[in-house]
Amino acid sequence: AWIFIVLSGLATCLAVLQNLMFQLMNSTPEIQEVINRSDNSEILGFNSARFFLFLFLLLSLSVLLISIGLLKKKNWGRILFSGFLILAMVYFAASIFNLHFSEQTQEIELSELPGFLTYVKWVTSAFYAGLIFIFGKILIRLNSRDVKQSFIN
């Protein structure tokens, strides 16, 4: 639990600073003028960046709170942390699938540096597979009978 508390605490601090920086940078009159003159696709990108920065803040804060619940041996912390691990594993599996079967990835491979991109794809896939394995082991341990009993008592 401590590892996840430290990592999610750092991620939360980073997310707060990113959101603050984004708001401060885009609150100047010059930037507001550019936004007002922009077409819809540029504004959509701007709003998407704001949305994803806020989503990252919510996710990191959620993981921090869930990790604290896990440390305090709260059963809700164990259940929510298990759900977080499942979501992360699905995300990593989908990322591996996307890396190998996405049309955009295949188009890039046909252009420049095909050998290098293949190497990056396989290293990234191996990293994600390792994370899936580690998260799976943690998930199995969290849902074992003895760990469940320690959270219930």
Side-chain angles (χ1 to χ4, degrees):
W2 276 110
I3 292 171
F4 285 98
I5 289 173
V6 169
L7 292 177
S8 60
L10 290 173
T12 301
C13 289
L14 177 68
V16 166
L17 291 174
Q18 285 178 332
N19 278 281
L20 184 63
M21 179 191 69
F22 193 79
Q23 295 304 322
L24 289 175
M25 283 179 42
N26 296 313
S27 64
T28 62
E30 296 86 9
I31 298 293
Q32 291 301 318
E33 182 181 328
V34 170
I35 291 170
N36 292 335
R37 286 186 291 146
S38 301
D39 64 0
N40 287 339
S41 64
E42 292 168 342
I43 292 174
L44 179 65
F46 177 80
N47 287 334
S48 296
R50 177 180 289 154
F51 171 74
F52 283 112
L53 285 173
F54 185 69
L55 188 65
F56 177 63
L57 175 63
L58 286 179
L59 178 66
S60 60
L61 188 59
S62 298
V63 173
L64 178 61
L65 295 175
I66 291 169
S67 299
I68 291 170
L70 190 65
L71 180 69
K72 292 186 171 195
K73 295 236 180 219
K74 302 290 185 187
N75 197 41
W76 59 264
R78 184 187 64 81
I79 292 168
L80 290 175
F81 196 77
S82 295
F84 162 73
L85 290 175
I86 290 169
L87 284 175
M89 291 167 65
V90 168
Y91 173 79
F92 292 140
S95 296
I96 292 171
F97 181 82
N98 189 35
L99 271 173
H100 294 281
F101 298 107
S102 167
E103 288 181 25
Q104 184 180 15
T105 305
Q106 291 170 359
E107 287 174 12
I108 293 171
E109 275 187 8
L110 296 176
S111 64
E112 304 169 10
L113 305 170
F116 177 72
L117 291 177
T118 301
Y119 172 75
V120 168
K121 236 179 15 178
W122 284 106
V123 168
T124 303
S125 297
F127 179 73
Y128 285 167
L131 287 175
I132 290 170
F133 177 76
I134 290 168
F135 286 2
K137 297 275 286 180
I138 294 170
L139 187 64
I140 290 169
R141 181 74 179 133
L142 271 177
N143 290 300
S144 66
R145 186 180 315 246
D146 56 334
V147 172
K148 280 183 183 179
Q149 283 298 328
S150 71
F151 277 82
I152 292 173
N153 294 334

